């Protein structure tokens, strides 16, 4: 399986200091540009990194592996996957750095954007490695690999996160719940509406607490089926999010992460880092990099 389902990352990468410079550029742009919903482009960068990686299929017989390696979301064909609606904003945000830095692939840029956003939004340190290569149109993954939020069974969530991406129940709960602490849904993108938490520009374990503590009711509106909290009616859950509460095997991890923020953050750091590297084999000479935040550098 391993031999056919991985791509080799380039060993010819820049030194750490160069990537820290790119990180700083992205972080400074995040700080300067606040003209997006809740005041940050960070959440949509986290989502771009996830969607460029989440197309990986570990047992794909067609050998179209997907994943972050090939940078194929630069093609219209992949942007037109309905699940990618709204992500052009994030690509455009990062595009100037593709031009500024030579020998930087889209896969490296977009995954680094996700790492930078998590860290700058007070999340944990995410280990990251470079060496992805831009490939052509024939590497565009098929549609329907990214999850469909309207599905409401554990079986479906596991078919994506275990079947294709190879994560455990605990890892999928961690990824979805910390990811959805951030940002919001947009009617003009996915058709869903609203944020999951009261602090959508901070990486927290609040999603887990809210999912357990609030009384979630189907929203009364003419849009897609989604859930609203009964106390403030300002938050939302997707059908796939509700599965994490209803499925007892998922729920025990929701309870764990609601109680233990430290464990939640360290598990997330590990699993998000591995998500961004699905389907890639890095040479031993490429050591995982850990970037300093702007704050840590006094910038
Ligand atoms: Zn999301 N996600 N996601 N997600 N996601 C949205 C927004 C964001 C699902 C999903 O359908 C949607 C993960 C898993 C899953 C983020 C991160 C991560 C939206 C709203 C939808 C519909 C898009 C819009 O309208 O703009 C489903 C079904 C998932 C799994 C079952 C994982 C894993 C994530 C990262 C670790 C983030 C940060 C957002 C907010 C984006 C923004 O623009 O604010």
């Amino acid at each position: 399986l391993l031999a056919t389902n991985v791509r080799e990352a380039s060993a010819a990468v820049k030194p750490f200091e160069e990537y820290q410079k790119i990180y700083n550029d992205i972080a400074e742009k995040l700080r300067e540009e606040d003209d997006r919903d809740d005041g940050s482009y960070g959440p949509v960068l986290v989502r771009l990194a996830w969607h460029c990686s989440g197309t990986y299929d570990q047992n794909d017989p067609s050998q179209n592996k997907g994943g972050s390696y090939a940078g194929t979301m630069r093609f219209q064909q992949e942007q037109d996957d309905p699940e990618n609606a709204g992500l052009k904003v994030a690509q455009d945000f990062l595009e100037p750095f593709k031009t500024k830095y030579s020998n930087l692939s889209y896969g490296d840029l977009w995954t680094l954007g996700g790492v930078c956003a998590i860290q700058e939004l007070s999340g944990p340190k995410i280990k990251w490695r470079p060496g992805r290569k831009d490939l052509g149109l024939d590497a565009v993954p098929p549609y329907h690999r990214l999850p469909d939020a309207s599905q409401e069974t554990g079986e479906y969530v596991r078919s994506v996160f275990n079947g294709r991406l190879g994560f455990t129940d605990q890892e999928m709960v961690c990824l979805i719940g910390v990811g959805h602490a951030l940002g919001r849904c947009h009617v003009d993108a996915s058709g869903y509406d609203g944020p999951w938490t009261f602090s959508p520009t901070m990486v927290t374990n609040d999603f887990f607490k809210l999912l357990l503590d609030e009384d979630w009711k189907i929203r009364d509106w003419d849009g897609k089926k989604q859930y609203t909290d009964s106390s403030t009616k300002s938050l939302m859950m997707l059908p796939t999010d509700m599965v994490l509460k209803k499925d007892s095997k998922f729920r025990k991890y929701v309870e764990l992460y609601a109680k233990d923020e430290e464990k939640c953050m360290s598990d997330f750091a590990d699993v998000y880092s591995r998500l961004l590297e699905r389907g890639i084999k890095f040479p031993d000479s490429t050591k995982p990099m850990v970037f300093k935040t702007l704050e840590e550098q006094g910038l």
Side-chain angles (χ1 to χ4, degrees), residues 52-126:
C52 77
S53 310
T55 53
Y56 181 61
D57 184 349
Q58 62 182 353
N59 6 265
D60 180 8
S62 74
Q63 290 304 300
N64 188 332
K65 301 161 191 78
S68 68
Y69 188 92
T72 45
M73 218 193 284
R74 71 188 189 281
F75 296 120
Q76 194 65 43
Q77 194 182 318
E78 188 166 335
Q79 289 167 27
D80 287 345
D81 182 333
E83 300 302 344
N84 285 334
L87 285 177
K88 190 63 173 32
V89 168
Q91 287 184 245
D92 291 347
F93 183 94
L94 293 173
E95 189 61 27
F97 309 115
K98 174 74 180 174
T99 320
K100 178 169 173 185
Y101 294 96
S102 62
N103 193 24
L104 173 67
S105 65
Y106 279 106
D108 281 353
L109 175 60
W110 293 337
T111 54
L112 182 56
V115 166
C116 177
I118 292 286
Q119 294 193 174
E120 296 298 313
L121 301 179
S122 19
K125 290 298 178 82
I126 313 285

Side-chain angles (χ1 to χ4, degrees), residues 36-38 40-48 50-51 83 85-87 118 146-150 156-157 160-161 172 174-194 196 200 236 238 240-241 268 272 275:
R36 179 164 167 91
D37 358 276
D38 302 291
S40 174
Y41 283 85
V44 78
L45 295 191
V46 171
R47 186 164 196 243
L48 173 63
W50 138 238
H51 273 215
E83 300 302 344
L87 285 177
I118 292 286
L146 294 163
D148 164 5
S150 73
Y156 176 77
V157 175
V160 176
F161 282 89
M172 49 192 110
C174 190
L175 275 173
I176 296 168
V178 178
H180 288 174
L182 293 172
R184 57 169 61 235
C185 297
H186 304 82
V187 176
D188 62 0
S190 60
Y192 295 99
D193 178 40
W196 292 266
M236 69 96 59
L238 298 165
T240 44
D241 296 319
F268 178 76
Y272 190 70
L275 171 68

Side-chain angles (χ1 to χ4, degrees), residues 17-31:
E17 294 70 29
E18 279 295 301
Y19 293 107
Q20 178 74 62
K21 263 194 224 160
I22 306 171
Y23 175 105
N24 288 358
D25 269 10
I26 300 171
E28 275 161 4
K29 184 168 178 177
L30 274 176
R31 191 166 60 189

